[in-house]
Amino acid sequence: MIDQQLVTVTIDGTPVRVPKGTWLVEAAKQIKREIPVYCYHRKMGPAGLCRICLVEIEGMPKLQIACNTAVTDGMVVHTQSDKAADGRRAVLELYLVNHPLDCPICDKGGECDLQDYAMAYGQGYSRSVDPKVSKPKAVDLGPTIVLDEERCVVCQRCVRFDDMIVGERELVLKDRGVRNIIATANGEPYRHNFTGNVTELCPVGALTSKTYRFKSRPWDLRRTTTTCTQCPVGCQMHVDVRVGVVQRTMSLEDDDAISDGWLCDRGRYNVGFYDDPARVTQPMYKRDGGWVQIGWDDALDIWAAAIREACAVNPASVGVVGGGRLTNEEAFLLQHLFRAKGVANLDWRAGSQRQASPGRNGGTLVDLESCDAIVLIGESPAERAPVMDLRVRKAALQKGAKVIRIASAERPYPAPIPSTDVATVAEAIKKLPKDPKRIAIVWDGCDADFATSLLEKLPAGAQVLTYITGEQANARGAEAMGMLPFSEPGYGKAESGLDAAQMFAAARDGKLAVLSIFGANPAMYRADFARASFTAVSDLFMTETAQLADLVLPAKGPFEKTGTTTNMAGDVLPVNAAHSLETPADALSDLEMVVALAEKLGVELPVAEEVDAAVLRHLAKAPEDFTLGDARFGTSVILSPSKDPERRRKAHVEGIAFNVVVQTRVFGGGGTSAHDARIAELCPLPEAAFSPEDAAELGVNTGDYIDLVLDSVSDVVQAHHDNVGHDLLVEVRNGMPRGTIALIGGLPDSPASNLAGARVSVTNIRRAPEDAAEAIGAPA
């Protein structure tokens, strides 16, 4: 829409008032009239390539394409006239000349636009007497996509998506005429965090998903609409189940406020863990150093007895960690139960993030697109909140926003996206556009000093919007529900207890009798984690934390339970159990566990209606007095590397070992991604990234192998690691600060997660095989 001046257009005899400049294909939707399209997509605008959207406009001698024709006042349009139908029939005949007749084995069968349009407008027979031109079938395009070249109608939706939405520009159109094919620009596998969207954009069966090929027909699927809980964006999605197994997830095209109609590859593909054989399916109790299966009654008795006995002596010896992966209702009841027993040691922060609620300046996800500048502090949303990162890219690519990253050790944005890397807050202020009207600050919730100092120095006249990306999907909801040691539901002040790091310290000192952990894996992410005298863990798998526990309880996954979650922008979103999904018989939701435990402990919980009302009431209480880096959230016990570039350079010149920066990857994190064999190729390998200058000095290249040894580190980390890394793949990364080494956190076979703040030395350099560099250069 170009402006908001309303005009009247008559479509198939029905007057429609729409803003002037509206594309005719969109205006027709106002009266539920669908005009066929292939190349057009409302998120990418008109392309005018496919010509299937022909319509008749009175006063014009020829048929016009509806996707690239703007309405004018008084326009009279016929979308169903004989002349329009003849035009579409001619276009379809050309599409079908070489299209293969393999609908019975095509994954798009039953939801294919070409099938539908052929039935509606096609002539039912071919006049061609020549054999069809054949092209390669089942071409491996990358880790997620299979391409059938002869089915492609060259609409170029996939190419335009990679160019206009993602900015990666990996997909291109090669050759000409009948030899046109979709390929990658450099001949390398097609991979970034959003590749799966092209399978939905493809109007035919040319681009298909490796994880869904030959699995089901759409009419055999049971569909449920729910919220993705892989990250704090909260994208709305369809979950399709057949014979009790999740077959695929798909985006909601009209989810404009949250996902903008897209899904990242983790939300789309990381669904195979539900039926993984390694899943915990029954309560497990550690006896004489070994695991034994027990029933739920026994598990609850053991758990409740430990809590009851500890609370009778000293409630301060009991702690609870969890909430960021739970629903709002589960987090609310969890804190209610333990506070009723006098326990004040509650926290959702199992990793390095300290804060999730942005406070009075919090913005919506859509607001990002109207910002003049977007400043990224700490880890960018590219890996923590990928679909939010698409908003950042959209603002830069389509709206001209200036993207500034402070002290980033991450890979640069792809070339089309104008972004600037700076080392300090002062440099970031200098790079802001002149007289900005709206500035967005996107913070990872870890280093409070950067956040507070930036806020203090921003131009006075600019509107500031704040965002906090998170390590856990419902971190903001957990805070609002009272899963903090200093606040009750609704951010009311509470009797102060221990935070997660203090609980682990107390456990290490023998002062914590019982620790209950819900849906968290701190042992992977924190060097300071220590189990209590009795530790209970609810999870889907035997994680690093579960293996250290005394009692492990089988939990349900997000597609197996119902409730609500709160995304990073404060939107309260539904979580719905998928229809007909088979769940392990003895797995319980965390809410069911809390209710059963409360009964054993004699604690009366509010009924469902009261919980629903309380959740909405407390979530509505925005923390108006919070700011980014608010002191009430405290500082992380996990050491962070020096962000002072002068200190880094000095350390490097003097030969002191590298400072470690631990980074997130979409398919890192262990847990569900480590238990989904279908996406193993997407999971990153343990890597170590250096600046080009440091790499030259060390004599290493991308694809080489190195080992690391500790040079200087806290006592806590030292106690957990003697040798910190074997067989790490080297990546030489442009823009990396000198004196810094970036490691990927959350990998089950790498100890990098809890090395933030350590200093390491490089040893045992081995040269790469000739093809190793190819595996490192692309995002994982």
Side-chain angles (χ1 to χ4, degrees), residues 274 279-282 554-556 560 582-588:
Y274 282 96
R279 188 166 172 184
V280 178
T281 58
Q282 191 169 341
K556 289 182 178 180
E560 297 170 326
E582 291 184 0
T583 302
D586 283 324
L588 298 181

Side-chain angles (χ1 to χ4, degrees), residues 15 370 395 460 569 703 714 717 745:
S370 60
S714 69
V717 176

Side-chain angles (χ1 to χ4, degrees), residues 349 352 354 446 448-449 499 501 630-638:
R349 298 168 295 181
S352 59
R354 303 305 297 164
C446 296
D449 291 340
D499 65 17
D630 195 291
R632 281 168 285 189
F633 291 91
T635 57
S636 178
V637 173
I638 298 179

